[in-house]
Amino acid sequence: MENRKNFFHLHLVSDSTGETLISAGRAAAAQFQNSYALEHVYPLIRNRKQLAKVLDAIDAEPGIVLYTIVDQDLASLIDLRCREMGVPCVSVLEPVITLFQAFLGAPSRRRVGAQHALNEEYFARIEALNFAMDHDDGQMPETYDEADVVLIGISRTSKTPTSIYLANRGIKTANIPIVPGVELPASLYLATRPLIVGLIATTDRISQVRENRELGSSQGLDRNTYTDRASINEELKYARSLCARNNWPIIDVSRRSIEETAAAILALRPRLR
C-alpha cells in the first residue's frame, strides 16, 4: 500500500522574527513521519489589528497554532479565539518563562525580541559569518591566524555548512579542501591561534553525496574519479595521514548532523587551549 502523507496547517505567530517558533515547530513535526506541516509564519505581530488578520487566516485554514507573544493581552486573545474556533494552540515560551520565574524568583521582563538584541554578541556573530564566507574553500589563506577554527577535509565532508553553523555561534571559521598532491597553504602551518580539525566520513557516504551533487570549484579533482570508491579511499587515507603528522584532531561526520559535528568541535576547543 502506498505510504501517503497527511498534510496539516501549522500556524506560527510571533512578535519577533519567528525563528524560535520555526525551529520548535519543525522539530516537533519531524517526529511524525507520515504527516507534513504546511507552515504559515506570521512574524512581528505586535498589535490587535495585525493579530486580527492572522486569526482570520487561521480560521480560513484551521490547524495547530504555536505562538511566542509576550504581550499578555494579545496572548489571551489568541487563546480565546482559538478556543472559539476549536483549534489547538500553545504558547511555546510561556511554560519555559514560568519555570525560569519560579526557579529564579524574579519576574520576566517581557521584552519583545530580547534574544535578537543588537549587542556585542550579535555583532560578533555577524563578523564571524562574514569571516566564514570570506574564508570558504581555501580562500584568503593569508589571514588564517585570525580564525578560531580551521576545518580541513576532502570534498563533501560538510566543511562549509559546519563553518556557517559555527559562525552563527560567533566562532570565526575557515575551511580548506584536502586534495592529494596539492599542498595546504603554508600560512596554515604558521597559524598559532586557530584549532585545526580534520573532517572525514566513510567512503560510501562520501561517494553517495558526490553522486548527488555537482563537483563544485575544488581544484585538482577529476570528474571521472570523483565518485570512485577506490579514489575516495585514497583521499581519506591521505587526509588521515596529514592530520596524524600534524597532530590535528579528526572528527568522523558520517553519522553526525551538522549540529553534532559543531558540538564536537566546540568540545575540543577548551581541551586544546
Side-chain angles (χ1 to χ4, degrees), residues 87-104:
V87 299
C89 75
V90 173
S91 170
V92 171
L93 288 181
E94 194 61 33
V96 181
I97 290 175
T98 300
L99 180 64
F100 271 57
Q101 288 181 159
F103 182 80
L104 298 174

Side-chain angles (χ1 to χ4, degrees), residues 6 20 27 31 43 48 60-61 68 81 86 114 120 123 134 157 162 173 189 206 232 246 251 263 271:
N6 297 314
T20 301
Q31 304 303 314
R48 283 178 170 261
E61 296 179 306
T68 50
R81 284 293 309 277
E120 184 177 347
F123 289 108
D134 288 340
T157 47
T162 304
T173 309
Y189 298 101
I206 292 173
I232 293 171
N246 293 280
I251 295 176
R271 186 155 59 89

Side-chain angles (χ1 to χ4, degrees), residues 50-63:
Q50 292 171 324
L51 182 57
K53 295 179 180 179
V54 172
L55 293 170
D56 288 342
I58 295 171
D59 193 26
E61 296 179 306

Side-chain angles (χ1 to χ4, degrees), residues 32-52:
F32 300 89
Q33 186 175 1
N34 295 322
S35 298
Y36 181 80
L38 299 175
E39 294 179 357
H40 305 268
V41 183
Y42 313 96
L44 303 175
I45 303 301
R46 298 178 180 177
N47 58 55
R48 283 178 170 261
K49 183 177 180 180
Q50 292 171 324
L51 182 57

Side-chain angles (χ1 to χ4, degrees), residues 56-76:
D56 288 342
I58 295 171
D59 193 26
E61 296 179 306
I64 296 173
V65 178
L66 304 181
Y67 67 88
T68 50
I69 301 287
V70 298
D71 185 292
Q72 295 285 49
D73 290 336
L74 295 181
S76 297

Side-chain angles (χ1 to χ4, degrees), residues 207-271:
S207 178
Q208 183 181 32
V209 174
R210 288 182 178 183
E211 285 173 353
N212 291 296
R213 298 186 185 179
E214 295 181 0
L215 178 59
S217 59
S218 297
Q219 296 179 344
L221 294 176
D222 188 299
R223 289 181 181 274
N224 295 323
T225 59
Y226 189 56
T227 60
D228 179 71
R229 282 170 168 76
S231 297
I232 293 171
N233 195 47
E234 288 301 313
E235 290 180 52
L236 288 169
K237 185 187 298 184
Y238 176 74
R240 287 191 180 94
S241 66
L242 186 63
C243 290
R245 287 198 306 270
N246 293 280
N247 199 31
W248 294 330
I250 293 175
I251 295 176
D252 189 330
V253 303
S254 302
R255 297 182 180 276
R256 296 179 190 261
S257 65
I258 299 301
E259 294 84 354
E260 290 169 331
T261 300
I265 292 167
L266 292 175
L268 286 171
R269 292 188 71 214
R271 186 155 59 89

